Amino acid sequence: MPLLHLKPQPAWRTPPGVPHRHSCRCTVPLVLLLTLPLLASDRLQNEITRLAKVTDGEVGLTAIHIESGRRVSFHETDRFPMASTFKVPIAVQLLSRIDRGEVRLDQMVTIEPHDLHPGSGEISNLLKQPGVVLSVRNLMELMLLISDNSATDIMLRLAGGPEAVTSKMRDLGITGINVNRPTVRLIAEWIGADLPPEQNWTPDLWSHLFQAVPPDTRKAAEAKFNTDPRDTAQPAAMADLLLKIYNTKLELLLDIMRRCQTGDARIKGMLPPDTIVAHKTGSIGGTINDVGIVTLPDNAGHVVLALFVKQGTKSEASEKAIAQIARTVYDYFLFMK
């Protein structure tokens, strides 16, 4: 008979002269009580495995409860395309240059025609003529709030380029994040388009250039992109970077990430209303990502979440998987104190 069904002997069966022991009235053996947290952790792992099947893509996860250090993971050392989540390490490197006085937040940057790049965001849609000037802070907010790719490539340039960002990650002890290309080159290589020299880039170029790529070339380029180690991250590495951002109190970055306007159906998708989430999303092809820091209610702490999906065929299913896994992890760390 299973241990959980064992019952203590009635008092009238206690041999004469033997004192009653209150501990014998416990219906659950002490050894089982001690293993309950482990059993809950196993259930969490099993639930994440089940929810990962909501999408036909490959899911990667690292979650860390900051205050306790407890951690849960799923394919956390696999490589995933970062897409726009690479804007977080770019911001970290740029802020380090600002701290050293090499760049200023109020420094003004003139937006040139070749700076207007394709993809997400608004600058290239709104600013067709040269002569617009924005501050570094303005551009950083556009990069993180609405994931503007034009602002991102300018910020990457001011951060010292991809090599400087990757080097900063190594300085922080993070080996699982590689930043290698500006967004304009990343998108072009994902589509399979050959870029002309930079001085020939114009806002009108991109649609004509990308539409000219034959379907077979595009399909082959995307397959190559999915196995390319460039501009990829391990969920574990991204989570460690977010943990360092929190612990070093990069409040400017955290404040902007709390106001992120993209990806409401991802980490935030199933969380209670008004949950504070400082996050950054990323999307390209079959890649759907969201990484950030969730504040738990009732002083239960904070949870770092790095959630990646690659090679999925339906973005809605990938977003649903991210939302459901995020809620499961949220509930686990809220109630398992």
Side-chain angles (χ1 to χ4, degrees), residues 79-83 86 162-163 166 170 176-182 185-190 221 224-234 284 287:
R79 285 278 181 175
F80 291 81
M82 283 187 286
F86 88 145
E163 297 82 4
T166 300
R170 302 301 181 264
I177 292 177
N178 295 339
V179 175
N180 304 96
R181 295 164 289 183
R185 294 196 180 278
L186 186 151
I187 292 171
E189 292 187 26
W190 168 65
K224 183 178 179 181
F225 176 88
N226 288 333
T227 59
D228 193 334
R230 292 178 297 168
D231 299 296
T232 61
Q234 298 170 330
I284 187 168
T287 292

Side-chain angles (χ1 to χ4, degrees), residues 194-259:
D194 295 323
L195 291 180
E198 184 173 350
Q199 62 267 24
N200 297 331
W201 295 355
T202 66
D204 295 329
L205 167 70
W206 308 116
S207 60
H208 299 297
L209 185 67
F210 295 160
Q211 289 173 8
V213 179
D216 288 347
T217 301
R218 185 185 292 255
K219 184 176 180 180
E222 184 171 0
K224 183 178 179 181
F225 176 88
N226 288 333
T227 59
D228 193 334
R230 292 178 297 168
D231 299 296
T232 61
Q234 298 170 330
M238 184 62 75
D240 288 342
L241 176 61
L242 291 166
L243 183 61
K244 289 180 184 295
I245 290 170
Y246 181 87
N247 286 337
T248 56
K249 296 179 172 58
L250 288 180
E251 284 302 324
L252 174 60
L253 178 53
L254 290 169
D255 172 66
I256 298 173
M257 290 174 67
R258 290 185 195 107
R259 295 183 281 117

Side-chain angles (χ1 to χ4, degrees), residues 134-153:
L134 296 172
S135 71
V136 169
R137 170 136 190 186
N138 293 153
L139 290 164
M140 185 180 296
E141 295 215 350
L142 288 168
M143 174 177 75
L144 295 168
L145 290 179
I146 61 173
S147 206
D148 187 277
N149 287 343
S150 301
T152 299
D153 288 346

Side-chain angles (χ1 to χ4, degrees), residues 271-337:
L271 297 183
D274 301 322
T275 300
I276 298 173
V277 182
H279 70 121
K280 181 71 196 78
T281 58
S283 310
I284 187 168
T287 292
I288 301 291
N289 305 330
D290 201 0
V291 304
I293 302 170
V294 178
T295 300
L296 299 174
D298 300 325
N299 296 315
H302 303 80
V303 178
V304 167
L305 277 169
L307 271 159
F308 296 83
V309 180
K310 64 180 179 180
Q311 301 186 52
T313 61
K314 297 180 180 179
S315 60
E316 288 185 3
S318 296
E319 288 190 329
K320 184 176 180 181
I322 287 175
Q324 291 186 344
I325 292 171
R327 181 58 192 254
T328 298
V329 172
Y330 172 98
D331 288 341
Y332 175 81
F333 285 123
L334 176 60
F335 296 114
M336 292 299 297
K337 296 183 179 180

Side-chain angles (χ1 to χ4, degrees), residues 35-223:
T35 60
L36 281 177
L38 177 61
L39 294 175
S41 178
D42 288 344
R43 287 195 297 273
L44 173 64
Q45 200 73 46
N46 291 339
E47 183 66 0
I48 291 170
T49 301
R50 185 184 70 82
L51 292 173
K53 297 176 183 177
V54 169
T55 173
D56 59 356
E58 181 183 339
V59 174
L61 161 73
T62 297
I64 305 169
H65 184 259
I66 294 177
E67 285 73 13
S68 69
R70 287 179 294 171
R71 189 178 187 118
V72 62
S73 64
F74 187 79
H75 295 161
E76 71 166 2
T77 58
D78 288 359
R79 285 278 181 175
F80 291 81
M82 283 187 286
S84 286
T85 65
F86 88 145
K87 296 167 185 179
V88 176
I90 290 173
V92 170
Q93 163 58 7
L94 180 58
L95 287 170
S96 72
R97 293 201 71 197
I98 290 170
D99 285 343
R100 294 194 297 269
E102 299 169 358
V103 179
R104 301 190 324 274
L105 279 173
D106 62 356
Q107 181 176 325
M108 304 305 291
V109 179
T110 300
I111 311 300
E112 304 290 350
H114 62 262
D115 290 323
L116 300 178
H117 295 170
S120 57
E122 294 295 330
I123 290 182
S124 59
N125 295 330
L126 297 177
L127 309 178
K128 294 295 186 182
Q129 301 300 322
V132 175
V133 180
L134 296 172
S135 71
V136 169
R137 170 136 190 186
N138 293 153
L139 290 164
M140 185 180 296
E141 295 215 350
L142 288 168
M143 174 177 75
L144 295 168
L145 290 179
I146 61 173
S147 206
D148 187 277
N149 287 343
S150 301
T152 299
D153 288 346
I154 295 170
M155 293 295 90
L156 179 58
R157 186 169 69 230
L158 288 174
E163 297 82 4
V165 178
T166 300
S167 178
K168 178 63 177 179
M169 297 299 102
R170 302 301 181 264
D171 291 344
L172 293 173
I174 297 171
T175 59
I177 292 177
N178 295 339
V179 175
N180 304 96
R181 295 164 289 183
T183 59
V184 63
R185 294 196 180 278
L186 186 151
I187 292 171
E189 292 187 26
W190 168 65
I191 290 176
D194 295 323
L195 291 180
E198 184 173 350
Q199 62 267 24
N200 297 331
W201 295 355
T202 66
D204 295 329
L205 167 70
W206 308 116
S207 60
H208 299 297
L209 185 67
F210 295 160
Q211 289 173 8
V213 179
D216 288 347
T217 301
R218 185 185 292 255
K219 184 176 180 180
E222 184 171 0

